[in-house]
Amino acid sequence: MRLNVDSLSVIYPAADGRPPVAALSQINLTIEDDEFVVALGASGCGKSTLLNLIAGFLSPTSGSLKLDDKLVSGPGADRAVVFQKHALLPWLNVLDNVAFGLQIQGVGKNARHETADKFIGLLGLNGFQQSPVYKLSGGMQQRVGIARALTCDPKILLMDEPLGALDALTREKAQELILNIWNDTHKSVFFITHSVEEALFMGTKLIVMSPRPGRIMHTFDLPFSREFLNGTPARQVKASREFICLREDVLKIIFADEEQAA
Amino acid sequence: MTDKISSPPRDAAGLIARLSRARPTRPGEIYGVPGQGNTLWLSACSIALFFFVWWLVTAMGWVKPLFVPSPMEIVAKFISIWNNGFIGTSFLDHLTISTVRVFGAFLLACVIGLPLGLAMGMSPVMRGIFDPPIEFYRPIPPLAYLPLMIIWFGIGETSKVLLIFLSVFAPVVLGARSGVKSAAIEQIHAAYSFGATRWQVMRYVIMPSAMPEILTAMRIGIGFGWTTLVAAEMVAATKGLGYMVLSASQFLQTPIVIMGIFVIAIIAFAFDLLMRFVERRLVPWKGRM
Ligand SMILES: Nc1ncnc2c1ncn2[C@@H]1O[C@H](COP(=O)(O)OP(=O)(O)OP(=O)(O)O)[C@@H](O)[C@H]1O
Ligand SMILES: [Mg+2]
């Protein structure tokens, strides 16, 4: 799997008296097999726009977007999206929510429930198959969303602030869970977050974006998720010297960008 | 809640203070939900008070029985009509024919109106075509176009059912149409990202999420149906609850008028209770995500 973003620009046209917005300008990015790319940046720098492009909900103003050398021309099951919230279907129970993608693809009831069951187990939701989703906690709902995204065996997972609505403790657990699943399933991931710590901990590659026009300012390669997966406890990784130094560096860059823009 | 009634505030200042701010809730309730609280007891009291005042007014002879007959007289009238019929037709026949008219029109309105409303919500073409006629006739009182119905469709069942149909149709269409907007964009995007077709998105996301609004629209619609019943039965009817009320009023048979009103109200209310029950069973998730 190889996702190729080539000098991509998006301009939202002027509307209601607002001037046109250059949401993204000349973005170059490749996401390789097994890579965990995290996007970080001030609000409005075009992170969601980039994700929507990769998902196929939006077409670029110029530039190209290729998945395995095929031009992306719309949403498709090879790219699964995990949303921040509101994306589950409250009239279905957990099992049917997780099986929803397979249902769309016409997989029979027994087969899709079997697959869904597997991912429900993987996400630690066993025993909740029949629960209505609106009765689950926010963290569990998010895990249902991730399980649903995984069932169709996508090449890449796209996550737009998937943990943004969770409390700090649940969030740290969810980070570890996602890393473990990533390690088990070998999916590529494109992950948006506002938390510098989360970005550093989870990614193998970090892109720092800056607004007006939205562009990629810096790219970092990150070792920390591998350290965690090799057995170092998460808190220990996050408290290590290298981690803290890089965290401060990245924060400085973002604040400097902010001031420049202001 | 019961103790809200049994433990009234000590003084007027306390009452005002209580009304002007929300109190902490008990476990299991949610703080600050507008209108939260059980109304069963208050409703029962309000009904009991109504009948008591009614009985008092008539028993004391403050108004003539011609204007307000006593509750017992209404019950007596009901029993006598139940046993002997009204103008040659049994009470059950009156009841049945009216119910069939209203529910027939209601079903027809749902069968045509719900798909049309959904289509109008989904497609600008459909909306463009059907919005003007519906918005045009919707605010017109049914009595105003009743003569046209008679001229066009005669004095048979057609014009009666059609009149009721029209009054149910508009709210049902509008409810279904705005129900289309209930699905969150994330839900729709999720479906598309699994490769769903437009039709699948409609079938698996938009229609289920429109259910709460559709059920509400149906409740409102049938309410309009009952309000139009009497107007519909003004047209050369010889049977029906509306007809019964109308002809009784011509002979100043006030007890029958009031009895008919109660019967209509009770059926309509019973059906509304049924719809609320269906709502709780069908869309328990309403407003929860
Ligand atoms: N549909 C739209 N029409 C016009 N402008 C838009 C639209 N969507 C986004 N924008 C603008 O494009 C820019 C980038 O938006 P985007 O949502 O991608 O930012 P973001 O980085 O995801 O922000 P956040 O961190 O707040 O989610 C913003 O300036 C926004 O105002
Ligand atoms: Mg965003």
Side-chain angles (χ1 to χ4, degrees):
Chain A
M1 174 348 273
R2 182 188 170 88
L3 185 91
N4 225 320
V5 177
D6 193 18
S7 55
L8 194 82
S9 299
V10 171
I11 298 173
Y12 287 110
D16 308 327
R18 283 180 293 111
V21 182
L24 290 177
S25 148
Q26 297 295 319
I27 301 285
N28 291 302
L29 176 72
T30 42
I31 301 179
E32 304 275 357
D33 230 359
D34 221 8
E35 229 179 355
F36 199 121
V37 177
V38 181
L40 197 59
S43 187
C45 68
K47 303 181 295 292
S48 299
T49 303
L50 182 55
L51 186 134
N52 283 338
L53 276 163
I54 301 175
F57 300 137
L58 188 70
S59 56
T61 313
S62 68
S64 76
L65 184 75
K66 283 183 189 148
L67 182 68
D68 288 336
D69 296 321
K70 278 215 314 267
L71 223 49
V72 167
S73 63
D78 47 3
R79 286 148 290 141
V81 188
V82 179
F83 299 86
Q84 184 171 2
K85 51 185 174 185
H86 303 310
L88 298 180
L89 308 176
W91 50 90
L92 300 178
N93 61 23
V94 169
L95 185 63
D96 284 320
N97 260 287
V98 174
F100 180 62
L102 295 169
Q103 184 185 14
I104 290 290
Q105 291 170 11
V107 178
K109 193 163 190 161
N110 289 333
R112 68 175 187 255
H113 279 176
E114 204 174 297
T115 313
D117 234 3
K118 208 174 75 199
F119 286 101
I120 286 172
L122 191 64
L123 272 291
L125 290 166
N126 258 330
F128 290 96
Q129 276 86 341
Q130 306 302 326
S131 306
V133 280
Y134 58 84
K135 286 192 176 159
L136 302 181
S137 69
M140 289 164 82
Q141 290 183 358
Q142 211 46 288
R143 280 186 271 161
V144 173
I146 296 171
R148 178 178 71 178
L150 287 169
T151 49
C152 289
D153 197 24
K155 291 176 179 163
I156 182 168
L157 277 178
L158 309 173
M159 308 203 203
D160 194 346
E161 299 183 43
L163 311 182
L166 303 185
D167 67 275
L169 200 66
T170 313
R171 187 165 182 162
E172 299 223 350
K173 287 192 191 144
Q175 291 170 358
E176 298 177 22
L177 183 73
I178 291 177
L179 280 184
N180 281 318
I181 284 169
W182 169 66
N183 193 39
D184 291 345
T185 56
H186 297 287
K187 304 278 175 214
S188 306
V189 179
F190 180 71
F191 187 102
I192 296 175
T193 177
H194 272 127
S195 154
V196 177
E197 192 180 89
E198 185 167 282
L200 294 182
F201 177 62
M202 302 194 66
T204 55
K205 185 153 103 186
L206 169 68
I207 58 175
V208 181
M209 298 177 64
S210 108
R212 278 168 296 265
R215 68 223 118 110
I216 298 177
M217 296 293 280
H218 302 272
T219 309
F220 296 88
D221 286 319
L222 300 170
F224 305 109
S225 52
R226 299 280 178 207
E227 283 174 22
F228 166 73
L229 290 169
N230 287 336
T232 320
R235 283 306 341 166
Q236 197 177 319
V237 174
K238 291 178 188 174
S240 69
R241 252 185 76 85
E242 299 80 31
F243 191 93
I244 293 173
C245 286
L246 191 53
R247 188 184 74 198
E248 296 310 309
D249 286 349
V250 170
L251 276 170
K252 258 183 226 148
I253 292 171
I254 294 178
F255 283 132
D257 279 355
E258 284 272 88
E259 258 160 44
Q260 235 175 14
Chain B
M1 292 282 116
T2 39
D3 62 352
K4 277 184 199 146
I5 301 165
S6 58
S7 61
R10 292 277 138 67
D11 49 45
L15 176 69
I16 289 167
R18 265 183 52 175
L19 287 176
S20 62
R21 71 183 146 78
R23 288 180 310 154
T25 51
R26 264 159 294 192
E29 294 176 351
I30 300 170
Y31 181 83
V33 173
Q36 195 179 38
N38 197 332
T39 57
L40 194 66
W41 279 97
L42 270 177
S43 301
C45 290
S46 133
I47 294 171
L49 186 70
F50 172 78
F51 280 102
F52 175 72
V53 170
W54 181 6
W55 168 81
L56 191 70
V57 163
T58 49
M60 304 302 283
W62 291 339
V63 280
K64 286 200 190 118
L66 176 65
F67 296 118
V68 182
S70 73
M72 285 76 81
E73 205 179 325
I74 308 285
V75 175
K77 205 77 211 176
F78 177 73
I79 294 170
S80 117
I81 289 189
W82 178 271
N83 290 331
N84 309 321
F86 178 78
I87 321 198
T89 307
S90 79
F91 175 76
L92 273 182
D93 278 357
H94 286 298
L95 186 79
T96 314
I97 190 94
S98 288
T99 314
V100 167
R101 279 172 190 150
V102 172
F103 280 96
F106 172 67
L107 283 183
L108 201 63
C110 289
V111 167
I112 302 175
L114 293 179
L116 180 66
L118 290 174
M120 283 172 70
M122 291 295 286
S123 136
V125 176
M126 295 296 277
R127 195 162 57 240
I129 296 172
F130 289 102
D131 197 43
I134 291 177
E135 287 301 334
F136 171 76
Y137 96 82
R138 190 169 69 96
I140 305 172
L143 271 177
Y145 49 80
L146 176 61
L148 285 178
M149 293 286 121
I150 298 170
I151 294 169
W152 292 340
F153 300 102
I155 54 173
E157 283 305 309
T158 316
S159 54
K160 295 185 187 64
V161 173
L162 204 60
L163 194 77
I164 304 174
F165 167 83
L166 283 174
S167 67
V168 185
F169 186 65
V172 166
V173 171
L174 294 185
R177 172 183 156 175
S178 75
V180 169
K181 300 265 180 298
S182 322
I185 194 65
E186 288 90 350
Q187 294 171 324
I188 295 173
H189 279 179
Y192 277 123
S193 77
F194 288 123
T197 59
R198 260 176 74 88
W199 166 248
Q200 280 179 316
V201 170
M202 170 97 187
R203 164 78 184 75
Y204 293 116
V205 179
I206 290 175
M207 289 212 322
S209 67
M211 274 311 280
E213 280 217 47
I214 288 178
L215 288 174
T216 309
M218 285 165 69
R219 272 174 68 187
I220 295 172
I222 190 109
F224 277 99
W226 286 107
T227 24
T228 327
L229 175 71
V230 179
E233 292 185 348
M234 284 168 75
V235 190
T238 54
K239 280 177 193 167
L241 293 172
Y243 161 75
M244 189 174 91
V245 169
L246 282 170
S247 45
S249 73
Q250 279 161 10
F251 301 111
L252 289 181
Q253 292 257 31
T254 325
I256 299 183
V257 173
I258 296 180
M259 191 270 278
I261 289 172
F262 268 98
V263 171
I264 293 177
I266 288 168
I267 302 174
F269 184 58
F271 184 74
D272 198 62
L273 285 184
L274 179 73
M275 286 295 286
R276 285 190 220 177
F277 173 76
V278 168
E279 202 166 63
R280 273 200 301 277
R281 294 303 297 271
L282 229 52
V283 292
W285 45 271
K286 179 176 177 178
R288 311 224 1 211
M289 250 182 120

